[in-house]
Amino acid sequence: MRSTPDLLKERAEDVFKAWMETQLASAPLRLDMMSKSDLEKQSRKFLHAFLEVISTGNLDNIEAPEYAPVIELLQEISKSRAALGFTPSETATSVFSLKYSLLQFLQDEFGDTPDILNGEITAVSQLLDKLGLVTFETYTRGHEEQILKQKETMAKMLTPVMILWKDILLLPVVGAVDSTRTQIIMETVLKRIRDTESKITLMDITGVPTVDSGVANHLVKITKAAKLMGCDCIVSGIAPAIAQTLVHLGIELRGVITTATLRDALLLAYKMRGYEVREKKEAPKKKGA
Amino acid sequence: MEDAVSNVAMYVARGCLVVPIEVELYDDSMRQIQKAVLESITETGIKGVIIELSGVNIIDAFLCRTIFDTARMVSLVGATAVLTGIKPEVAASLSEFDLKFYDIQTAITIEESFHRLEPLVESKEEAVEEEDHGDDVG
């Protein structure tokens, strides 16, 4: 009697055909996203690697070094399919479907000896279950990496600090404010204050959609830290709704100068620094008049 | 204790008492500095005090309160204190504590601190001169 790896290797072409049939027949497979020839190429490559590795006799530990090529291939397949828009279930189903195709061959070979059949079936299905899960893990990990990258990009994008005038910085806060972002904003703005030795920071919160007690506390922290360094903070862009919320929630903004618009804040900052803004008395002459 | 007080490094510049705090602070050393500053004000009649904190890398809420309290005591004895040189990382960590310092003056640079204290220092010098005149006449 042949061993399972030998049997499968011998009948590799039949196994491949059976697997392709199962894959093509399974409902979730999306031929609109991937051509049949691509699928065949991928499947053949995987099957080949799979049969190679089970011939080592290790049907259990997929963390062993001999499994590295198979895992790598699976991760590659999983990534490329994710990029094509496949769901992780669809990718995993591909792997699981190999299990059903293999079972048929095992049945044919070991049908007469139920004891051996049982053992072989258990081993093969456990192995393929593990491999199927690898595709899931790869998919999730890829997603997490992407989310992390986006988060970092957003954090960087959303905290510009500009020099508005000598000694005056502008910090526009746009979007939701949580504790992580507060920390990033604080770090950025405090460093800028030190580098530019600015005396006033205008924090414009027109772009903050909602201000609850959490957000207010975060913003107050930034103004406090700036003040400790010797830089006054003017918070502008307090919309009527925000003013109402702040009072209703009983949030104390003592020590923080607030204005309705950035314009008022800028005028106030000029005044505090001893600048005077006034209109020219003569109307500007029109060109060509 | 006397010795400790005289060991506190302070100097007078442009009519202001500058108190550089260089080392990592201990509760005790801060209390000594506090005492030295207050005694110096009452002795010399100086009107402006600059507490310079750029040498401080780590600070806790208690010490920070002691420093704020020093500034408050300074105003009780008739002078004005300005804190300066607080590092960004120190400021960030202090903002986590629920400290109240609306009555404390801070300045971004030591130059700015002098600038802030200038009017007070000048008026004080004038007052001294006037007193001297009065003595002469008397």
Side-chain angles (χ1 to χ4, degrees):
Chain A
M1 195 182 285
R2 292 168 294 186
S3 73
T4 306
D6 288 344
L7 157 77
L8 295 177
K9 218 168 186 181
E10 217 163 273
R11 305 194 59 186
E13 198 49 38
D14 294 331
V15 171
F16 173 69
K17 273 185 193 144
W19 185 27
M20 279 308 293
E21 249 169 57
T22 328
Q23 282 198 75
L24 291 171
S26 69
L29 188 77
R30 310 275 292 273
L31 281 176
D32 52 325
M33 291 200 261
M34 191 181 183
S35 73
K36 199 178 157 191
S37 64
D38 279 349
L39 177 67
E40 269 178 5
K41 231 186 275 169
Q42 252 180 17
S43 305
R44 194 178 283 281
K45 224 170 151 189
F46 175 71
L47 187 62
H48 180 75
F50 176 72
L51 295 178
E52 267 317 299
V53 78
I54 58 171
S55 64
T56 63
N58 176 3
L59 287 179
D60 183 38
N61 179 15
I62 64 163
E63 272 152 36
E66 59 263 30
Y67 270 89
V70 179
I71 304 279
E72 214 168 278
L73 196 60
L74 265 184
Q75 286 172 342
E76 203 179 290
I77 291 173
S78 179
K79 267 181 206 159
S80 70
R81 291 210 186 171
L84 287 170
F86 281 80
T87 67
S89 314
E90 282 165 350
T91 312
T93 306
S94 274
V95 177
F96 292 142
S97 63
L98 175 60
K99 182 165 76 180
Y100 303 117
S101 317
L102 290 180
L103 294 186
Q104 194 54 51
F105 289 91
L106 295 176
Q107 175 77 39
D108 289 350
E109 181 73 15
F110 303 113
D112 304 334
T113 47
D115 285 354
I116 300 177
L117 179 64
N118 262 347
E120 295 299 309
I121 285 179
T122 316
V124 168
S125 21
Q126 272 178 354
L127 173 60
L128 280 168
D129 284 347
K130 280 181 196 165
L131 292 177
L133 287 179
V134 169
T135 63
F136 252 104
E137 273 169 24
T138 313
Y139 187 89
T140 328
R141 207 172 311 132
H143 252 238
E144 276 166 8
E145 275 168 20
Q146 206 172 357
I147 291 171
L148 215 69
K149 227 183 270 171
Q150 282 174 346
K151 244 187 176 172
E152 274 172 28
T153 318
M154 262 179 50
K156 271 188 207 139
M157 224 167 61
L158 294 178
T159 47
V161 184
M162 295 161 261
I163 302 175
L164 201 58
W165 206 264
K166 189 179 174 288
D167 297 335
I168 303 175
L169 288 182
L170 173 62
L171 167 71
V173 185
V174 178
V177 180
D178 58 11
S179 56
T180 327
R181 233 191 120 201
T182 311
Q183 216 142 19
I184 296 168
I185 295 176
M186 176 128 62
E187 244 170 64
T188 321
V189 76
L190 295 188
K191 257 185 211 139
R192 281 293 265 176
I193 290 173
R194 185 195 48 192
D195 294 346
T196 60
E197 298 189 342
S198 297
K199 277 116 191 156
I200 297 175
T201 299
L202 308 183
M203 183 157 78
D204 187 70
I205 60 164
T206 315
V208 180
T210 48
V211 177
D212 55 16
S213 55
V215 174
N217 279 333
H218 289 316
L219 297 178
V220 167
K221 259 184 212 167
I222 296 173
T223 63
K224 270 191 171 178
K227 174 75 190 152
L228 275 171
M229 286 185 66
C231 180
D232 287 314
C233 245
I234 305 176
V235 181
S236 69
I238 309 268
I242 292 178
Q244 282 174 311
T245 323
L246 288 177
V247 174
H248 281 155
L249 291 173
I251 295 161
E252 212 187 336
L253 287 179
R254 226 182 119 193
V256 183
I257 313 163
T258 54
T259 61
T261 61
L262 183 58
R263 180 180 154 275
D264 294 343
L266 184 59
L267 276 177
L268 184 61
Y270 280 151
K271 209 172 150 192
M272 283 161 74
R273 292 307 307 156
Y275 298 115
E276 196 183 328
V277 182
R278 59 190 155 81
E279 248 172 87
K280 259 191 176 175
K281 269 181 190 155
E282 308 152 33
K285 277 176 195 164
K286 275 182 195 167
K287 268 185 188 169
Chain B
M1 204 61 188
E2 286 276 301
D3 281 339
V5 168
S6 57
N7 280 344
V8 176
M10 299 185 293
Y11 59 91
V12 178
R14 290 162 68 177
C16 298
L17 180 68
V18 183
V19 188
I21 294 173
E22 301 282 356
V23 285
E24 301 315 325
L25 284 174
Y26 296 100
D27 303 359
D28 215 39
S29 45
M30 191 58 222
R31 227 169 286 134
Q32 282 166 10
I33 292 170
Q34 201 171 67
K35 190 165 175 250
V37 169
L38 294 174
E39 278 174 6
S40 171
I41 294 169
T42 38
E43 272 166 31
T44 61
I46 227 155
K47 289 292 170 203
V49 177
I50 298 172
I51 302 178
E52 215 275 328
L53 292 157
S54 64
V56 177
N57 294 316
I58 303 165
I59 200 167
D60 65 17
F62 178 78
L63 277 173
C64 189
R65 199 166 297 138
T66 320
I67 293 170
F68 291 160
D69 286 347
T70 310
R72 290 180 185 120
M73 291 168 193
V74 165
S75 42
L76 280 180
V77 294
T80 306
V82 176
L83 306 189
T84 189
I86 297 182
K87 287 187 173 177
E89 43 288 16
V90 174
S93 68
L94 286 178
S95 72
E96 294 295 325
F97 309 127
D98 192 24
L99 294 167
K100 300 210 162 28
F101 50 89
Y102 315 120
D103 51 340
I104 306 295
Q105 286 206 48
T106 51
I108 183 81
T109 55
I110 196 151
E111 193 53 45
E112 173 73 9
S113 318
F114 281 126
H115 181 71
R116 194 87 61 79
L117 292 170
E118 223 164 42
L120 303 169
V121 174
E122 272 170 10
S123 65
K124 185 247 156 193
E125 274 167 4
E126 277 164 24
V128 171
E129 271 170 33
E130 270 167 33
E131 257 175 46
D132 287 348
H133 283 302
D135 284 346
D136 285 347
V137 172

